[in-house]
Amino acid sequence: METKLDVNSIKLTSKYINNEVAHQSIQFNKNVLRKLSEKALNRAFELDRART
């Protein structure tokens, strides 16, 4: 019985770790996309100002 509980505990811990890694990965990707979008908008603004 105790071994079964240990295995379930390990499975839950592993699942939690996987979820946290996925969450951190998503946050990192969101941050990268936001920075790229900011750079693209800044560059577009610079090009527009240079044209006028």
Side-chain angles (χ1 to χ4, degrees):
M1 180 76 174
E2 189 174 320
T3 304
K4 187 174 183 179
L5 289 175
D6 289 343
V7 169
N8 286 338
S9 178
I10 291 169
K11 286 180 183 177
L12 287 174
T13 302
S14 177
K15 193 172 191 175
Y16 175 78
I17 291 170
N18 288 341
N19 287 340
E20 281 300 307
V21 168
H23 177 73
Q24 293 298 322
S25 209
I26 289 168
Q27 285 302 115
F28 175 76
N29 289 338
K30 283 182 181 178
N31 290 338
V32 168
L33 286 174
R34 185 175 61 246
K35 287 178 184 178
L36 288 173
S37 294
E38 288 173 2
K39 286 182 180 182
L41 286 171
N42 287 338
R43 183 66 179 140
F45 183 71
E46 290 171 6
L47 290 172
D48 186 57
R49 289 191 67 187
R51 191 174 48 162
T52 57

